[in-house]
Amino acid sequence: IALLGNLSLAIIKIVVGIAAGSLAVLGDGIDSATDVSIACMTLIISRIIQQPSDEHHPWGHGRAETTATMVVAFIIFYAGMQLCLSAGGKLFQHFTLLMQSTEPTTISSPDTILLIVTLLSIVGKLLLAWSQYHLGKKSGSIMVLANAKNMATDSIISSSVLVGLTGARIFSLPILDPLVAFLVGLWVLKNAISI
């Protein structure tokens, strides 16, 4: 459920983010793509840690979870760093144009499709969090419960993207898009470090 749900959301957000030129939506899509890698890693590791101990692993295969968690953390960190660098470059570009401009520049509002995709993302992440929470409780899986908490947090990221896009549309401030993308990137980095 987590794999398919996050994969669908990631594809939609990345495609629409690129097509509409929104770094914030693209960043949210990258965050969902890291959730896809977490879901894949969870599936693989759950099979490995269930194996009984053998002569090479007399205490079992539980360490595989720690190793996989480190790999996922590095993937998430890399994605967050790339987003921060892209958004930072776009912010620098906005400020440079603002400082050089002597006449008002035309400002484009975010497309309505960006708002719809972000709303879809919020609802989707909340439904995924709810399903993972109930499945985690039912199975007693700490990994699935942690994933549920991660998805609930992701709905906050999507909500901040929605606030940024709405603010950019209402106040005609396109700079809010890369600013929110930069903040999402920092959030992704914080999650990678905490993992």
Side-chain angles (χ1 to χ4, degrees), residues 48-92:
I48 292 172
I49 62 176
Q50 288 177 2
Q51 295 177 3
S53 56
D54 54 33
E55 63 182 61
H56 297 294
H57 305 94
W59 291 283
H61 295 82
R63 284 282 191 209
E65 188 173 12
T66 304
T67 305
T69 302
M70 289 297 290
V71 170
V72 168
F74 283 118
I75 292 169
I76 293 171
F77 187 85
Y78 179 77
M81 186 57 71
Q82 288 298 102
L83 181 58
C84 282
L85 290 174
S86 295
K90 193 103 169 188
L91 283 170
F92 181 75

Side-chain angles (χ1 to χ4, degrees), residues 22-31 76-95 157 160-161 164-165 174-191:
S22 172
L23 276 178
V25 174
L26 177 62
D28 197 13
I30 290 170
D31 182 59
I76 293 171
F77 187 85
Y78 179 77
M81 186 57 71
Q82 288 298 102
L83 181 58
C84 282
L85 290 174
S86 295
K90 193 103 169 188
L91 283 170
F92 181 75
Q93 197 176 38
H94 271 282
F95 284 122
I157 291 175
S160 68
V161 170
L165 291 173
I175 197 166
L176 289 177
D177 181 68
L179 181 62
V180 169
F182 186 78
L183 294 174
V184 168
L186 290 178
W187 181 267
V188 171
L189 287 174
K190 176 222 161 258
N191 287 341

Side-chain angles (χ1 to χ4, degrees), residues 98-111:
L98 186 66
M99 294 299 170
Q100 294 174 351
S101 179
T102 54
E103 55 189 61
T105 57
T106 58
I107 297 171
S108 62
S109 296
D111 295 333

Side-chain angles (χ1 to χ4, degrees), residues 32-179:
S32 290
T34 61
D35 291 338
V36 170
S37 66
I38 291 171
C40 288
M41 195 68 72
T42 301
L43 287 172
I44 293 167
I45 294 307
S46 65
R47 286 192 173 266
I48 292 172
I49 62 176
Q50 288 177 2
Q51 295 177 3
S53 56
D54 54 33
E55 63 182 61
H56 297 294
H57 305 94
W59 291 283
H61 295 82
R63 284 282 191 209
E65 188 173 12
T66 304
T67 305
T69 302
M70 289 297 290
V71 170
V72 168
F74 283 118
I75 292 169
I76 293 171
F77 187 85
Y78 179 77
M81 186 57 71
Q82 288 298 102
L83 181 58
C84 282
L85 290 174
S86 295
K90 193 103 169 188
L91 283 170
F92 181 75
Q93 197 176 38
H94 271 282
F95 284 122
T96 303
L97 289 173
L98 186 66
M99 294 299 170
Q100 294 174 351
S101 179
T102 54
E103 55 189 61
T105 57
T106 58
I107 297 171
S108 62
S109 296
D111 295 333
T112 304
I113 188 71
L114 293 172
L115 299 173
I116 292 168
V117 165
T118 305
L119 280 170
L120 175 70
S121 175
I122 294 167
V123 172
K125 285 294 186 171
L126 288 173
L127 288 173
L128 285 171
W130 177 80
S131 73
Q132 294 300 289
Y133 176 77
H134 285 288
L135 291 171
K137 279 287 197 188
K138 186 176 179 180
S139 66
S141 171
I142 296 170
M143 271 194 296
V144 175
L145 286 171
N147 203 16
K149 188 179 284 190
N150 177 43
M151 288 182 206
T153 303
D154 287 346
S155 68
I156 295 170
I157 291 175
S158 292
S159 297
S160 68
V161 170
L162 182 64
V163 168
L165 291 173
T166 304
R169 187 174 186 120
I170 292 172
F171 301 113
S172 297
L173 292 172
I175 197 166
L176 289 177
D177 181 68
L179 181 62

